[in-house]
């Protein structure tokens, strides 16, 4: 891990916000030595059947930041989510900050720009975001040094963000009894996912890991925080030294049985635009497309 500047002496304050509609956990990550903070994986609410967008979940995060007098510096997207819509632009409009995602967003934009038959006006260069992270890129949240690790496999643009002793893994890993993310979306790959998980598990054992999703396996309460050591020992998909071959066989067999996420169609169209709706027509109305037999 010498290529990554891990500093376990820095212990950010992490506040979690759980969205039960999508089983997503968003985070406010605060510098303990200042009022600076970042938001990781925010959620914009959608009633898909009714075509209604709202911001209750994002407003809760905004209220927390305002009530505590915090300064928002970053809005981090760990990847282009297929199961919820990002509220990053909405929060940015209220509080400022820069929106960041992995540089391979361009691959995702190119892939799904074709799926959704987007015209040439849809830029596939990542310009909708303020910062495109490459593996090892560093940035600051107040006095804290943070860095991004490229952890593809679930999607080509997945990044794990490490801030002191805390790492935000997106969909790369779930809690130990939840296993790992699927790898069958366009651009996903089970072997690549295994390699990325090993990068995360090579972090120091006491590193705190924060999940993007939890589904309460076997009826337990929702959880979102564990450690590298716990994942290495007990993760049902990769723990205990499971081999790459075992993981790939398990992951591919499991993925073949999974349905598409309920919100994949609106999520991809919005999230590849950094959380913005498709451009409005002459009447100011935005529309989401439903590609037939494309996913």
């Amino acid at each position: 891990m010498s290529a990554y500047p891990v500093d376990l002496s820095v212990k950010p304050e992490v506040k979690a916000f759980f969205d039960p509609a999508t089983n997503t956990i968003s985070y406010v990550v605060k510098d303990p030595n200042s009022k600076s903070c970042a938001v990781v994986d925010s959620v914009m609410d959608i009633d898909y059947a009714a075509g209604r967008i709202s911001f209750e979940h994002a407003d809760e995060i905004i209220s927390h930041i305002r009530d505590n007098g915090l300064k928002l510096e970053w809005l981090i997207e760990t990847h282009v989510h297929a199961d919820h819509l990002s509220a990053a632009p909405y929060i940015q409009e209220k509080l400022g900050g820069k929106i960041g995602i992995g540089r391979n967003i361009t691959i995702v934009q190119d892939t799904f720009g074709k799926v959704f038959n987007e015209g040439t006006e849809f830029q596939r260069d990542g310009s909708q975001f303020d910062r495109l992270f490459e593996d090892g890129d560093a940035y600051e949240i107040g006095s804290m040094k943070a860095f991004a690790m490229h952890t593809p496999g679930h999607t080509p643009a997945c990044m794990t963000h490490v801030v002191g002793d805390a790492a935000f893994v997106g969909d790369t890993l779930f809690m130990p009894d939840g296993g790992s993310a699927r790898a069958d979306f366009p651009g996903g790959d089970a072997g690549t996912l295994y390699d990325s998980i090993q990068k995360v598990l090579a972090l120091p054992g006491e590193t705190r890991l924060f999940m993007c999703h939890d589904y309460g396996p076997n009826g337990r309460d929702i959880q979102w925080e564990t450690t590298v050591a716990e994942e290495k020992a007990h993760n049902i998909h990769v723990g205990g030294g499971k081999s790459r071959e075992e993981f790939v066989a398990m992951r591919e067999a499991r993925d073949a049985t999974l349905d598409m996420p309920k919100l994949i169609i609106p999520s991809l169209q919005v999230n590849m635009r950094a959380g913005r709706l498709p451009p409005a027509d002459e009447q100011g109305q935005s529309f989401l497309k439903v590609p037939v037999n494309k996913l």
Side-chain angles (χ1 to χ4, degrees):
M1 294 305 300
S2 59
Y4 297 113
V6 178
D7 186 355
L8 296 178
S9 70
V10 176
K11 301 184 183 300
E13 299 172 13
V14 180
K15 171 69 174 176
F17 297 81
F18 178 67
D19 175 45
T22 62
N23 287 80
T24 303
I25 304 98
S26 306
Y27 299 97
V28 173
V29 187
K30 179 188 173 297
D31 176 14
N33 298 314
S34 74
K35 290 293 188 178
S36 297
C37 71
V39 169
V40 180
D41 290 336
S42 62
V43 173
M44 178 168 65
D45 304 299
I46 183 171
D47 181 341
Y48 191 30
R52 293 193 184 97
I53 296 291
S54 58
F55 298 96
E56 290 88 351
H57 186 268
D59 285 336
E60 185 180 359
I61 292 174
I62 291 169
S63 293
H64 173 80
I65 291 173
R66 285 177 170 166
D67 291 348
N68 289 278
L70 306 183
K71 177 187 177 185
L72 181 59
E73 296 187 350
W74 288 97
L75 294 129
I76 299 297
E77 299 293 329
T78 56
H79 63 294
V80 175
H81 309 278
D83 42 26
H84 73 270
L85 285 66
S86 169
Y90 175 80
I91 298 174
Q92 184 183 53
E93 180 182 345
K94 305 290 184 182
L95 299 175
K98 296 179 180 180
I99 302 174
I101 198 168
R103 180 165 293 279
N104 279 359
I105 177 62
T106 57
I107 297 174
V108 178
Q109 288 175 328
D110 185 61
T111 298
F112 289 104
K114 294 172 183 174
V115 169
F116 292 105
N117 195 29
E118 300 292 348
T120 56
E121 68 276 8
F122 172 58
Q123 298 298 311
R124 294 159 170 82
D125 58 2
S127 57
Q128 301 87 346
F129 299 82
D130 300 309
R131 174 77 180 270
L132 301 182
F133 293 104
E134 296 189 27
D135 187 54
D137 276 357
Y139 60 101
E140 296 179 352
I141 306 169
S143 67
M144 297 190 299
K145 304 291 185 182
F147 66 88
M149 296 170 57
H150 189 210
T151 49
H154 175 60
T155 80
C158 287
M159 306 291 284
T160 292
H161 287 261
V162 183
V163 189
D165 75 337
F168 300 85
V169 300
D171 285 7
T172 300
L173 276 171
F174 294 153
M175 293 295 291
D177 60 350
S180 61
R182 65 195 297 166
D184 62 331
F185 294 150
D189 180 79
T192 301
L193 179 60
Y194 179 88
D195 296 339
S196 293
I197 290 171
Q198 298 310 307
K199 287 176 67 174
V200 174
L201 297 184
L203 291 166
E206 60 268 45
T207 304
R208 294 181 289 161
L209 300 182
F210 292 91
M211 310 295 111
C212 185
H213 295 286
D214 187 67
Y215 301 94
N218 301 312
R220 67 153 168 77
D221 292 340
I222 298 298
Q223 300 174 6
W224 49 75
E225 179 180 349
T226 184
T227 66
V228 167
E230 284 293 313
E231 292 280 18
K232 287 176 74 172
H234 302 299
N235 186 283
I236 59 172
H237 291 170
V238 295
K242 287 188 175 63
S243 70
R244 193 178 195 270
E245 291 73 21
E246 289 175 303
F247 177 83
V248 169
M250 176 280 302
R251 188 70 266 170
E252 291 181 348
R254 182 176 175 83
D255 288 350
T257 71
L258 300 178
D259 294 330
M260 283 289 110
K262 293 179 180 179
L263 295 179
I264 188 171
I265 288 175
S267 295
L268 291 174
Q269 292 176 80
V270 168
N271 294 338
M272 69 182 184
R273 292 179 165 89
R276 299 175 182 88
L277 294 171
D281 64 10
E282 295 82 359
Q283 287 73 45
Q285 180 65 56
S286 292
F287 293 88
L288 295 167
K289 300 174 182 177
V290 179
V292 177
N293 296 331
K294 279 285 193 176
L295 292 174

